Amino acid sequence: MAFLKNHLPALAVAAAVAVLLSVARGMAGFDLLLLDRFLPGLGWLQIAGAAVLGFWLTGKFLNPATAPRWRRRLWLLFAGVFFGQLLLGLTLSPLFLMTGKLHFPIPMVIEGGWVYRGELSFMPILFLATILLSGPAWCSHLCYMGGCDLNRARAAKGFKAFSPPVRGRWYMRFGAVILVGVVAWLLRTLGAPGWLVVTLVVVWGVVGWLLVLFVSPRKRQMIHCNLFCPMGAIVSLVKWLNPVRLRFSRTRCTRCMQCARVCPHAAVTARDLDRGRPALNCTLCGDCYSACRHGAVEYRFLGLAPSKARTTYLVIVVTLYVVFLMLARI
């Protein structure tokens, strides 16, 4: 009984991962899990391994001392698995691709493709479902570009803290949303040739990677995610579909600003602390929670006590992370 009580969140993640992957495996009209593609029936072993991974990761994420470090590592791992399988699918075997058909691995395409095609496809539905379940965790745990941007932002020589917000960031963020939507609509309305559509998407992707590789470490901030990616701005607007919130206690906060220094999204300023809540672009990554030595950062969720609210939220996020990791293919 003591084991069950002490490891209940981890057991919940393991069970949820096993159930979700089993249901997805049974409902898919093709071999959804990678191991099934090489040896039919081996997917059950992959599901069991995923459940064990979820159990282990839950302990790492629930511990405030280890959570930020493991989030960075595992987010980068997710990006590596995603792009690694893309590379293997292009060079070695189409088995590493989700359906054998190549799609553009650029977050912008989620919005642009929706507008260009004029209909909901799998990715917009998955995106909205993820927001409903986990709020802004898409931008702190689940996007294949974000993990790269976070680690590059920390790669500056002598890095000690992230930089403060960029002036005019909201004009840039929502300008990107408008630009992508308008251009996609024009391409559809004017019947633009396929080569032009592909060229524009590729150019956007190249610019995004240049920002990740060279500008983010120089500016000590996730420049691609915070200023360039339209999906990040959309997440900031629709994350309210999920009831989880982050709040700052005005009585316990000492204005040491350590939370601001560790925030890769520049979502915490002195003004935000005075208001008692982070800026609109907070992704609930939890790094400020781990950095605060005064217990001034609190999760709020459906009337639960702050500690239980954080635990419940992380159970949801870790479950989604492991499921996404198992299915991280184009």
Side-chain angles (χ1 to χ4, degrees):
M1 291 298 295
F3 177 86
L4 290 177
K5 183 178 180 179
N6 294 333
H7 296 88
L8 185 59
L11 290 170
V13 170
V17 166
V19 169
L20 289 173
L21 289 177
S22 298
V23 171
R25 181 177 185 268
M27 294 181 62
F30 58 96
D31 289 329
L32 188 64
L33 299 177
L34 186 61
L35 292 188
D36 274 330
R37 298 188 174 194
F38 293 97
L39 184 62
L42 205 58
W44 291 114
L45 181 61
Q46 184 173 346
I47 292 174
V52 172
L53 176 63
F55 181 93
W56 179 71
L57 288 182
T58 303
K60 300 297 183 183
F61 274 79
L62 287 178
N63 183 351
T66 59
R69 180 170 68 254
W70 280 100
R71 186 178 75 89
R72 292 193 302 270
R73 292 174 177 176
L74 293 167
W75 204 7
L76 187 61
L77 171 66
F78 179 81
V81 170
F82 182 88
F83 288 111
Q85 292 191 80
L86 171 61
L87 180 62
L88 291 173
L90 294 175
T91 60
L92 186 61
S93 170
L95 290 176
F96 289 96
L97 302 176
M98 181 63 78
T99 62
K101 297 180 180 179
L102 181 62
H103 304 279
F104 291 104
I106 303 171
M108 171 270 291
V109 175
I110 300 177
E111 178 200 356
W114 181 5
V115 176
Y116 179 72
R117 288 187 295 269
E119 61 182 10
L120 277 174
S121 59
F122 173 76
M123 280 306 299
I125 293 174
L126 176 65
F127 172 78
L128 293 173
T130 303
I131 299 299
L132 183 63
L133 290 171
S134 63
W138 181 280
C139 288
S140 58
H141 295 81
L142 304 173
C143 174
Y144 40 82
M145 291 286 287
C148 301
D149 204 17
L150 172 62
N151 283 274
R152 286 299 298 162
R154 291 176 53 84
K157 185 177 180 180
F159 176 86
K160 293 183 179 179
F162 290 105
S163 61
V166 175
R167 181 176 298 180
R169 58 176 171 164
W170 293 111
Y171 293 107
M172 289 182 269
R173 299 196 78 190
F174 293 119
V177 176
I178 295 171
L179 176 63
V180 169
V182 169
V183 171
W185 179 79
L186 287 174
L187 291 172
R188 175 190 175 192
T189 302
L190 300 176
W195 66 264
L196 179 59
V197 176
V198 171
T199 299
L200 292 175
V201 171
V202 170
V203 168
W204 186 281
V206 169
V207 172
W209 274 109
L210 290 175
L211 293 174
V212 169
L213 294 174
F214 301 108
V215 182
S216 289
R218 182 179 178 183
K219 296 296 184 180
R220 294 182 294 111
Q221 190 181 130
M222 296 171 64
I223 295 298
H224 171 273
C225 296
N226 293 347
L227 303 178
F228 184 73
C229 178
M231 301 314 299
I234 293 175
V235 166
S236 297
L237 294 177
V238 301
K239 68 179 182 180
W240 308 112
L241 293 172
N242 183 275
V244 179
R245 302 288 184 267
L246 198 70
R247 294 293 182 261
F248 304 129
S249 171
R250 292 186 176 90
T251 57
R252 290 191 295 273
C253 179
T254 64
R255 302 302 191 272
C256 69
M257 302 308 293
Q258 183 59 28
C259 53
R261 287 190 281 272
V262 301
C263 181
H265 295 275
V268 183
T269 64
R271 181 182 178 186
D272 298 317
L273 294 176
D274 290 336
R275 294 188 307 163
R277 61 182 184 273
L280 184 63
N281 60 312
C282 172
T283 66
L284 295 179
C285 72
D287 287 5
C288 59
Y289 178 92
S290 297
C292 182
R293 301 183 181 91
H294 312 286
V297 182
E298 298 179 346
Y299 282 77
R300 305 283 178 82
F301 181 48
L302 300 180
L304 295 174
S307 61
K308 291 185 177 180
R310 177 177 180 264
T311 297
T312 302
Y313 181 67
L314 287 178
V315 164
I316 296 171
V317 170
V318 175
T319 298
L320 288 176
Y321 171 84
V322 176
V323 171
F324 274 45
L325 184 65
M326 294 299 109
L327 305 177
R329 298 197 302 280
I330 295 180

